[in-house]
Amino acid sequence: RGVHLDPDGPTLGCALAGAVAQSAALAAARETLLRVPPNVAVATRWRDSSATITCRGPVPTTMTTVARYEVTAVDGPTVRVRRDVTVRLRGQAIAGGRTVTVTGGGEGSATIELDAALGRVRRVDAETRTTVTVTLPDAAREFAQQVRTEVRAR
């Protein structure tokens, strides 16, 4: 029942050309595949989490996401949901003969519109802010990332 993404399944590896596309596909899946309780009403709340391995440059990085959901409106078959997420990143690899460590975290929120009659997502408007630190043996650099996502059903 439901959709299952196997984060331990075969991966392309971060050094191969398909790794970027694979990471993008996982990101899209995280935005649009939701586990919704069978009976929802305004103020219904639930929580979900996922851990996936993505690529941050040449570094395989475990991304752990905890999402908290709340139904904000029900209008016929249309269900509106607010999602708040917390993201944590951790990864390590040897690149160019040097150990590279990636750590980070962030938060985000989204407004999601579901069609309960058809059992699908109609739209998602999300924004996430993440800070990533890349540590090499001689220095650490911090990067800020802001991602805005818009999904519309056709």
Side-chain angles (χ1 to χ4, degrees):
R1 217 174 103 141
V3 176
H4 176 71
L5 295 176
D6 187 357
D8 298 320
T11 61
L12 296 174
C14 292
L16 299 177
V20 173
Q22 184 181 37
S23 291
L26 281 172
R30 277 193 303 272
E31 288 298 324
T32 57
L33 299 176
L34 307 176
R35 291 187 72 186
V36 179
N39 298 308
V40 296
V42 173
T44 299
R45 295 179 183 180
W46 71 98
R47 180 183 146 136
D48 201 359
S49 63
S50 66
T52 56
I53 299 173
T54 63
C55 295
R56 294 290 186 239
V59 181
T61 304
T62 300
M63 182 165 129
T64 303
T65 304
V66 176
R68 293 163 307 282
Y69 298 89
E70 181 175 2
V71 175
T72 58
V74 177
D75 183 14
T78 302
V79 179
R80 288 183 190 80
V81 177
R82 176 170 175 84
R83 176 180 62 204
D84 294 309
V85 298
T86 303
V87 179
R88 297 288 171 245
L89 306 165
R90 178 113 181 107
Q92 188 171 7
I94 305 251
R98 301 182 342 163
T99 300
V100 180
T101 302
V102 174
T103 57
E107 295 180 340
S109 63
T111 301
I112 302 166
E113 188 175 289
L114 306 170
D115 184 326
L118 297 176
R120 70 179 200 161
V121 173
R122 280 191 187 150
R123 68 186 296 155
V124 178
D125 292 301
E127 189 168 318
T128 305
R129 291 186 170 94
T130 307
T131 302
V132 177
T133 302
V134 178
T135 305
L136 300 168
D138 55 349
R141 296 189 97 179
E142 188 172 280
F143 301 90
Q145 178 180 10
Q146 181 174 339
V147 176
R148 183 163 171 69
T149 304
E150 293 182 9
V151 176
R152 302 292 183 264
R154 292 184 181 190

